[in-house]
Amino acid sequence: MFKNLIAGEWREGPRVIRNINPSDTRDLVGEYAQADAAQAREAVAAAQQAFPAWSQSTPQQRFDILDAAGSEILARKAELGDLLAREEGKTLPEAIGEVGRAGAIFKFFAGEALRIGGDVIPSVRPGVGVEVTREALGIVGLITPWNFPIAIPAWKLAPALAYGNTVVLKPAELVPGSAWALADILQRAGLPPGVFNLVMGPGSQVGQVLLEDQRVAAISFTGSAATGGRVAAACAARLARFQLEMGGKNPMVVLDDADLGVAVNAALNSGFFSTGQRCTASSRLIVTNGIHDQFVAALAERMQALKVDDARKAGTDIGPVVDESQLAQDMEYIAIGEQEGARRIGGERIATNSAGAPGHYLRPALFTETTADMRINRDEIFGPVVSVMRAKDYEEALHLANDTPFGLSAGIATTSLKHATHFKRHSQAGMVMVNLPTAGVDYHVPFGGRKGSSYGPREQGRYAAEFYTTVKTAYTAA
Ligand code: NAD
């Protein structure tokens, strides 16, 4: 049994959860301890005790530990990628890529620990000096979703630790394996007891403690908009700092002048890969009339050729949906799309994989002849379900792209510099892609969105310092 990490000790919880492989639901990945509220409070107490020493540790100490963790993650990429694919259901190459990203993030923030600087600014008054420095916040609570089981914990943990905070991580219930591996690696990399605590367990209990405990200075949350709203309310009530990364309904505009191959590849990748379970997935394709029929025909042909199979089998393009309830949600939206009058291609449930194993398999679905008011174009489905809308010209396409409560990522396929430039400027999304999939981002630059997708400072890259540190302005009489 895999246990929680509290104050440097591996601890059993009052309950155990079974981690099941969505590619073969007979396969048990492992049994993982589930903490309760009392254990979550113990983890907070451990983080509180560890904070004074850790926040005063040298940049070299923090560099060494984060760098060692990054090296181990990279060295074990294949093995950790296999675990990730097995518990989450993304394909093996995607899972190994995600693990590589986590390793690179630790390396990046190891370097950032050495580069924490400040400003020395001349005062407007004679005989006074002004210094602006960054300090750690204290205890940071991290709450993460199931769709990037190692990368998201990594991109919160690495900056939190690099800037001298102590941490309590509550990963998603469905994917405890990758988070446990990360805890094990950090523990062996030499983190002092209590600096990093792992409490696996239900959001409503363990997560809730982090939101409500006055000792937790800040919460970094990634997950659904519904849970994000609860995080915001709880943190605002006690004036804790918080950062939310939530859903998306990301548009990709395809203009008449697009390179058809580029447009189809980008739409195929960002709509269906990782089983459409990416917050940056393009679920709305907005296509101008001149290229519409050609584009839809080419995309539908490529989509139908995608192999849906066991995530760890060589040659699989799309693994299973993560679990039964997400599968039910995807299928419900497929039914809603039909009721709304959209034309459906694909989207059939498959009971078993090519080896006959039962799993949560779903063929990718494309809806055509859809309109902006349909629920399939408004709600985040979070599955391999994509809809196509027609636009008469670029202006209408831009309007449709921005006509959403979300604003995470947006893309355009065009060979027009004028339209690409205008779109970069006028898209109401935090990340804009030209002739690239809307999903798939670098690890050293800011990540995040606008409107209903995000709240608070950006994650990743040097911008992470905005959330994980607080600024102090010191005045000294000369
Ligand atoms: P979720 O909101 O159901 O759960 C996210 C986390 O919150 C889990 O760890 C869960 O246990 C916890 N939680 C649930 N209730 C809680 C409570 N009352 N108090 C504290 N914590 C609680 O989301 P999910 O289904 O795991 O993930 C899918 C969602 O995540 C999608 O909406 C997707 O778009 C979003 N997502 C966003 C980004 C981004 O960066 N914008 C990245 C990945 C995923």
Side-chain angles (χ1 to χ4, degrees), residues 351-376:
T352 59
N353 64 26
S354 61
H360 307 301
Y361 296 100
L362 180 65
R363 276 193 216 290
L366 187 65
F367 278 113
T368 61
E369 309 305 338
T370 75
T371 52
D373 56 338
M374 291 179 177
R375 278 186 65 197
I376 53 167

Side-chain angles (χ1 to χ4, degrees), residues 270-464:
S270 50
F272 303 116
F273 288 6
S274 299
T275 322
Q277 297 173 153
R278 291 186 287 190
C279 49
T280 46
S282 323
S283 46
R284 296 183 300 136
L285 304 175
I286 300 159
V287 188
T288 48
N289 284 323
I291 197 171
H292 178 277
D293 294 357
Q294 231 186 328
F295 172 81
V296 166
L299 179 62
E301 192 185 327
R302 292 280 301 281
M303 179 192 83
Q304 285 173 305
L306 292 173
K307 286 200 187 71
V308 181
D309 209 336
D310 189 311
R312 294 188 294 160
K313 184 170 179 240
T316 295
D317 295 307
I318 300 183
V321 173
V322 73
D323 75 345
E324 215 171 316
S325 82
Q326 182 63 49
L327 178 65
Q329 175 169 316
D330 296 350
M331 288 172 55
E332 190 187 332
Y333 273 103
I334 289 172
I336 289 170
E338 289 193 307
Q339 283 154 23
E340 289 179 315
R343 197 167 77 82
R344 174 176 63 84
I345 306 167
E348 301 87 10
R349 167 86 169 97
I350 316 168
T352 59
N353 64 26
S354 61
H360 307 301
Y361 296 100
L362 180 65
R363 276 193 216 290
L366 187 65
F367 278 113
T368 61
E369 309 305 338
T370 75
T371 52
D373 56 338
M374 291 179 177
R375 278 186 65 197
I376 53 167
N377 277 324
R378 304 221 70 82
D379 302 351
E380 183 186 53
I381 301 172
F382 219 54
V385 184
V386 171
S387 48
V388 182
M389 278 181 272
R390 287 176 184 272
K392 67 174 187 304
D393 53 20
Y394 167 74
E395 282 70 28
E396 190 187 17
L398 174 66
H399 171 77
L400 288 169
N402 286 334
D403 181 12
T404 169
F406 296 106
L408 189 57
S409 181
I412 188 167
T414 180
T415 51
S416 154
L417 181 61
K418 180 178 139 197
H419 287 137
T421 306
H422 191 274
F423 189 78
K424 280 191 275 186
R425 174 76 187 79
H426 293 278
S427 161
Q428 294 165 1
M431 297 175 289
V432 184
M433 314 290 181
V434 178
N435 294 322
L436 285 168
T438 54
V441 294
D442 286 0
Y443 65 84
H444 66 310
V445 292
F447 176 95
R450 298 185 187 178
K451 302 201 282 190
S453 288
S454 299
Y455 183 91
R458 290 284 184 267
E459 299 200 79
Q460 305 194 54
R462 305 200 75 176
Y463 284 69

Side-chain angles (χ1 to χ4, degrees), residues 123-129 477-478:
S123 171
V124 293
R125 291 172 281 165
V128 175

Side-chain angles (χ1 to χ4, degrees), residues 144 146 170 173 208 222-224 227 245-247 279 380 447:
T144 55
W146 50 261
K170 195 217 84 67
E173 294 93 309
Q208 201 66 32
T222 300
S224 63
T227 313
E245 289 297 345
M246 300 169 289
C279 49
E380 183 186 53
F447 176 95

Side-chain angles (χ1 to χ4, degrees), residues 207-227:
Q208 201 66 32
V209 166
L210 300 182
L211 302 186
E212 290 172 359
D213 195 312
Q214 199 61 43
R215 295 170 294 181
V216 178
I219 296 284
S220 180
F221 166 84
T222 300
S224 63
T227 313

Side-chain angles (χ1 to χ4, degrees), residues 17-354:
I17 205 169
R18 288 159 58 82
N19 186 0
I20 302 289
N21 177 356
S23 293
D24 178 352
T25 51
R26 302 165 307 186
D27 176 31
L28 176 67
V29 181
E31 293 191 325
Y32 290 78
Q34 295 284 283
D36 57 9
Q39 272 188 331
R41 283 190 205 98
E42 284 178 44
V44 174
Q48 188 181 32
Q49 223 182 348
F51 179 70
W54 181 248
S55 60
Q56 298 305 316
S57 60
T58 64
Q60 186 67 49
Q61 284 171 304
R62 299 199 295 278
F63 172 90
D64 287 344
I65 291 170
L66 295 175
D67 188 59
S71 295
E72 181 171 340
I73 293 168
L74 292 173
R76 294 173 55 196
K77 213 158 71 163
E79 171 214 337
L80 294 172
D82 187 72
L83 169 66
L84 200 163
R86 190 171 163 210
E87 71 173 350
E88 199 269 353
K90 64 183 62 173
T91 65
L92 199 52
E94 289 172 330
I96 293 172
E98 183 182 334
V99 174
R101 181 189 180 87
I105 287 168
F106 274 95
K107 295 275 181 186
F108 176 86
F109 282 105
E112 286 302 285
L114 300 175
R115 281 188 287 266
I116 303 171
D119 293 318
V120 176
I121 299 172
S123 171
V124 293
R125 291 172 281 165
V128 175
V130 186
E131 292 161 27
V132 180
T133 52
R134 286 190 178 274
E135 294 182 3
L137 299 174
I139 304 170
V140 181
L142 308 178
I143 302 177
T144 55
W146 50 261
N147 65 331
F148 284 94
I150 198 164
I152 294 180
W155 82 50
K156 294 182 189 299
L157 256 170
L161 297 173
Y163 296 119
N165 302 284
T166 56
V167 171
V168 180
L169 167 66
K170 195 217 84 67
E173 294 93 309
L174 284 174
V175 291
S178 300
W180 188 91
L182 208 47
D184 175 49
I185 288 169
L186 279 165
Q187 166 90 335
R188 283 184 294 97
L191 269 188
V195 171
F196 169 61
N197 304 275
L198 173 74
V199 281
M200 302 175 282
S204 55
Q205 289 174 33
V206 173
Q208 201 66 32
V209 166
L210 300 182
L211 302 186
E212 290 172 359
D213 195 312
Q214 199 61 43
R215 295 170 294 181
V216 178
I219 296 284
S220 180
F221 166 84
T222 300
S224 63
T227 313
R230 272 181 228 125
V231 173
C235 290
R238 63 178 185 87
L239 301 181
R241 182 181 289 207
F242 62 97
Q243 170 185 58
L244 312 173
E245 289 297 345
M246 300 169 289
K249 194 71 191 171
N250 309 294
M252 176 178 295
V253 168
V254 180
L255 296 184
D256 286 357
D257 63 20
D259 176 315
L260 188 65
V262 166
V264 169
N265 280 339
L268 194 78
N269 174 322
S270 50
F272 303 116
F273 288 6
S274 299
T275 322
Q277 297 173 153
R278 291 186 287 190
C279 49
T280 46
S282 323
S283 46
R284 296 183 300 136
L285 304 175
I286 300 159
V287 188
T288 48
N289 284 323
I291 197 171
H292 178 277
D293 294 357
Q294 231 186 328
F295 172 81
V296 166
L299 179 62
E301 192 185 327
R302 292 280 301 281
M303 179 192 83
Q304 285 173 305
L306 292 173
K307 286 200 187 71
V308 181
D309 209 336
D310 189 311
R312 294 188 294 160
K313 184 170 179 240
T316 295
D317 295 307
I318 300 183
V321 173
V322 73
D323 75 345
E324 215 171 316
S325 82
Q326 182 63 49
L327 178 65
Q329 175 169 316
D330 296 350
M331 288 172 55
E332 190 187 332
Y333 273 103
I334 289 172
I336 289 170
E338 289 193 307
Q339 283 154 23
E340 289 179 315
R343 197 167 77 82
R344 174 176 63 84
I345 306 167
E348 301 87 10
R349 167 86 169 97
I350 316 168
T352 59
N353 64 26
S354 61

